């Protein structure tokens, strides 16, 4: 029986199978799986979708490099991803592939419908295209522009760092601007449509207000895609093809659309922040053109970073989930990703933090609570749970603590605040451990008159562990089953979330085993680093790194005074871009310094410290303003904080002002 027959539809982005997936890719899927499991526990009828995005030039090129047909290549890659999701115990209800026949037919029908009603028209596209990103860019959107000696643009790099090529070909275009006002109105009327809030501001200021350009929705320079039936030399742009999966998977434009009628609109669509634009501008506009209700929410989560930036095979700093699961078990990985990573913002993975979470949170806190409880029940009551009837105020306080925990937990889970939800559970685990120290069962056991009190304590501990196991079950799929088994409980039936007498009469295991053995931190940190080094060596990035370091060491110190004249080549080395001030605060232990957090268009927040406090005492007014920054200066540490670049300012006597630009300039736009 579902909760008032309510449905819940959740999606992940469909993954581009151009390489092996890392823990960064797994992060989104585990988060979606956590939410799907939680909603099922709450009585919802859940449909959870994930899959693979299998068309495009990059796939065609990858297949050719391996002497394979594209279909053969994506079949192999999709099988690997399905295998990974099985390893991670992802509970998706469907796995869609954009090469699935039903999806291809539906995409063709949708595109023909949009052509027939005038939303899509035939024209010619000229512009910059990144094969790796499968994305078009204008010159102003490029992170770096290459020029010849006469200053003509010859190429460049996308914000992702991938190089772009000039594309000139016939193309069908979607009239995006036709729906811009309607989309803005939808944002206003549905303030939680895009979360976190900062993502919405980026979409409005960087893309919609400057004017939505018509979107090229077809290609003719390659064949691996969905052909447009009325003009088959054109294949549908991979992003349009991919976005439509969320409705074709439910049977939209098929003979059986019962799932579409039941589950659409999606309750939430989880995506990485780098693809928020596609899901909150292009996707809703396509749905508006089709006359379909929009998803209730798109949540653009942050990135899982390494100390040296975004996880990247080219950098050699990748961590693969299989390695961590094989070494430490599945639950430690799922727990770490949902506990250590702030879901709406970027998080940083370190081997040290990973091992600490296992040792302190899992082995010490949860593991010790289980081991102590089982051992005491065996020692003092022959392994039998006799009572949970509250005898003392400490018993009642533990029950109230759980009730408060359940309220907090549900509130956080409903808002996708997974770290906070787990923190509330771990606070209750700490309370239960403290309850043992307060009640002192080993003292109660020496006094026959305290028998009822002792049995209540042991029952309260067993019941607390049952409830803890249920609360962590959306995140940790194996440990709850082990906890139930050690408590002598039936995992399929003993699932009430109310503090009660479910454990009474149960016999705990006589041979308890630690579910999270404590690890040798030094040894395990070295193990993870060693595996990362192996991957670095495979990619050849170790040599590159040493070369880069040697080159840096060989550089001479800059001269104190500026030369009177510099060459064009020297000037071209300076990279100045438009950035948006996301946050501004006083730097710690510094009277004059302001600490700026900036969006430079790369998707990774940039921090710059600048001596601007005396000129901007009301510095909070700068938030949302756009300023110019030099971003390729060597980072420096100032008062314990790293400053990655320099903000441009003007100076006339005592009058110092930051160089501000208006909001029509996009974040990351290069000055040149």
């Amino acid at each position: 029986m579902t909760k008032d027959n309510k449905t819940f539809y959740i999606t992940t982005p469909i993954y581009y199978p151009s390489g092996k997936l890392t823990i960064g890719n797994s992060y989104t899927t585990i988060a979606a799986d956590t939410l799907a499991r939680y909603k099922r526990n709450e009585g919802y009828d859940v449909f959870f979708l994930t899959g693979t995005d299998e068309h495009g030039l990059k796939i065609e090129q990858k297949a050719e490099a391996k002497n394979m047909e594209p279909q053969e290549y994506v079949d192999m890659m999709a099988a690997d991803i399905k295998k990974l999701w099985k390893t991670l115990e992802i509970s998706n209800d469907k796995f869609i592939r954009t090469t699935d026949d039903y999806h291809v037919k539906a995409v063709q029908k949708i595109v023909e419908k949009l052509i027939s009603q005038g939303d899509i028209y035939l024209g010619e596209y000229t512009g910059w295209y990144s094969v790796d990103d499968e994305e078009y860019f204008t010159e102003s959107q490029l992170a770096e522009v290459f020029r010849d000696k006469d200053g003509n643009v010859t190429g460049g790099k996308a914000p992702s760092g991938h190089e772009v090529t000039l594309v000139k070909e016939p193309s069908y275009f979607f009239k995006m601007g036709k729906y811009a006002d309607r989309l803005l109105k939808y944002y206003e009327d549905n303030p939680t449509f895009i979360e976190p809030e900062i993502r919405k501001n980026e979409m409005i200021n960087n893309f919609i207000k400057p004017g939505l350009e018509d979107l090229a929705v077809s290609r003719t320079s390659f064949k691996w895609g969905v052909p447009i039936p009325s003009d088959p030399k054109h294949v549908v742009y991979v992003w349009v093809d991919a976005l439509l999966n969320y409705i074709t998977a439910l049977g939209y434009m098929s003979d059986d659309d019962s799932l579409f009628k039941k589950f659409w609109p999606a309750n939430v669509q989880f995506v990485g922040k780098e693809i928020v634009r596609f899901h909150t501008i292009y996707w809703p506009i396509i749905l508006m053109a089709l006359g379909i209700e929009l998803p209730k929410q798109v949540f653009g989560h942050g990135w899982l970073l390494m100390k040296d930036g975004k996880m990247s095979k080219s950098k050699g700093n990748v961590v693969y989930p299989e390695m961590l699961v094989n070494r430490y078990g599945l639950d430690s990985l799922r727990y770490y990703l949902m506990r250590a990573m702030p879901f709406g913002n970027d998080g940083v993975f370190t081997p040290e933090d990973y091992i600490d979470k296992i040792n302190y949170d899992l082995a010490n806190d949860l593991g010790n609570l289980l081991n102590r409880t089982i051992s005491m029940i065996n020692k003092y009551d022959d392994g039998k749970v006799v009572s949970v009837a509250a005898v003392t105020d400490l018993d009642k306080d533990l029950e109230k603590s759980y009730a408060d925990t359940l309220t907090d937990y549900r509130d956080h889970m409903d808002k996708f605040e997974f770290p906070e939800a787990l923190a509330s559970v771990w606070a209750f685990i700490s309370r239960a451990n403290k309850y043992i120290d307060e009640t002192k069962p080993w003292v109660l056991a020496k006094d026959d008159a305290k028998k009822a009190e002792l049995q209540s304590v042991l029952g309260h501990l067993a019941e607390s562990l049952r409830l803890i196991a249920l609360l962590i079950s959306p995140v940790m799929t194996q440990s709850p089953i082990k906890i139930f088994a050690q408590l002598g409980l039936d995992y399929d039936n003993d699932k009430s979330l109310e503090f009660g007498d479910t454990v009474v009469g149960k016999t705990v295991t006589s041979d308890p085993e630690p579910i999270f053995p404590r690890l040798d931190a030094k040894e395990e940190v070295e193990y993870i680093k060693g595996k990362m080094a192996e991957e670095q060596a495979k990619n050849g990035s170790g040599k590159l790194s040493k070369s880069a370091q040697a080159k840096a060491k060989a550089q001479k110190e800059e001269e104190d005074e500026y030369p009177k004249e510099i060459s064009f080549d020297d000037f071209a080395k300076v990279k100045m871009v438009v950035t948006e001030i996301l946050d501004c605060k006083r730097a710690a232990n510094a009277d004059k310094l302001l600490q700026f957090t900036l969006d430079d268009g790369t998707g990774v927040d940039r921090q710059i410290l600048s001596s601007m406090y005396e000129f901007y005492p009301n510095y909070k007014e700068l938030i949302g303003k756009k300023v110019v920054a030099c971003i390729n200066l060597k980072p420096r540490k100032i008062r314990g904080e790293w400053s990655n670049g320099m903000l441009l300012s003007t100076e006339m006597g005592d009058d110092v002002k930051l160089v501000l630009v208006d909001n029509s300039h996009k974040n990351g736009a290069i000055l040149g």
Side-chain angles (χ1 to χ4, degrees), residues 621-634:
E621 295 177 358
L622 291 171
I623 295 174
K625 303 287 187 184
K626 297 205 175 189
V627 293
V628 177
C630 177
I631 64 171
N632 62 341
L633 290 175
K634 183 178 180 180

Side-chain angles (χ1 to χ4, degrees), residues 308-551:
D308 56 350
K310 193 177 180 185
M311 200 175 294
S312 164
K313 294 182 180 69
S314 62
K315 287 183 179 179
N317 64 354
V318 296
V319 178
Y320 292 112
E322 295 93 339
M323 178 270 290
L324 295 174
V325 173
N326 291 338
R327 182 79 171 184
Y328 309 108
L330 173 60
D331 279 1
S332 61
L333 173 63
R334 290 180 61 110
Y335 174 77
Y336 178 82
L337 291 178
M338 292 300 97
R339 180 69 193 270
M341 302 294 112
F343 193 58
N345 299 310
D346 294 341
V348 178
F349 173 90
T350 67
E352 293 84 357
D353 189 38
Y354 190 83
I355 299 303
D356 281 350
K357 284 286 186 291
I358 295 175
N359 278 341
Y360 295 114
D361 294 11
L362 301 181
N364 279 12
D365 297 341
L366 177 57
N368 279 347
L369 177 62
L370 177 64
N371 293 338
R372 294 171 79 187
T373 298
I374 298 294
S375 297
M376 288 189 296
I377 293 173
N378 276 311
K379 184 175 182 179
Y380 302 133
D381 251 331
D382 297 323
K384 202 86 148 180
V385 181
V386 178
S387 172
V388 291
V391 175
T392 68
D393 287 342
L394 288 172
D395 302 336
K396 295 173 184 176
D397 182 68
L398 185 67
E399 293 177 16
K400 182 181 183 303
S401 177
Y402 170 71
D404 292 342
T405 296
L406 181 60
T407 299
D408 289 344
Y409 168 85
R410 281 175 164 156
D411 181 55
H412 290 308
M413 289 294 285
D414 286 334
K415 293 188 286 189
F416 323 138
E417 296 170 346
F418 305 122
E420 292 81 359
L422 287 170
S424 68
V425 177
W426 252 255
F428 181 65
I429 291 172
S430 296
R431 179 69 192 90
N433 275 313
K434 184 181 178 183
Y435 172 75
I436 295 175
D437 298 331
E438 291 172 335
T439 56
K440 298 180 174 61
W442 52 91
V443 174
L444 298 176
K446 297 175 181 178
D447 187 349
D448 288 341
K450 299 284 188 180
K451 187 66 174 178
E453 193 173 327
L454 172 63
Q455 290 174 336
S456 176
V457 169
L458 298 179
H460 273 73
L461 288 170
E463 178 68 355
S464 295
L465 279 162
R466 183 187 72 84
L467 295 165
I468 288 165
L470 293 175
L471 294 184
I472 66 175
S473 65
V475 176
M476 303 167 72
T477 59
Q478 298 176 353
S479 299
I481 298 172
K482 294 176 182 177
I483 292 171
F484 265 56
Q486 293 201 30
L487 291 170
L489 294 166
D490 180 356
Y491 189 70
D492 292 327
N493 294 308
D494 297 334
K495 288 194 171 181
S496 168
L497 281 172
E498 299 304 316
F499 203 108
D501 60 0
T502 305
V503 295
V504 173
K506 306 298 183 184
T507 301
V508 303
T509 181
S510 60
D511 188 22
E513 291 185 5
I515 56 174
F516 291 104
R518 188 170 176 82
L519 303 172
D520 182 314
K522 184 177 180 181
E523 179 181 328
E524 298 307 323
V525 166
E526 288 305 312
Y527 175 83
I528 296 174
K529 288 181 176 179
K531 289 295 181 182
M532 292 170 64
E534 287 178 17
E535 293 300 329
Q536 191 176 47
K538 285 180 188 176
N539 288 282
S541 41
K543 291 182 180 179
L544 179 65
S545 176
K546 289 178 182 177
S547 172
Q549 290 176 11
K551 184 177 180 180

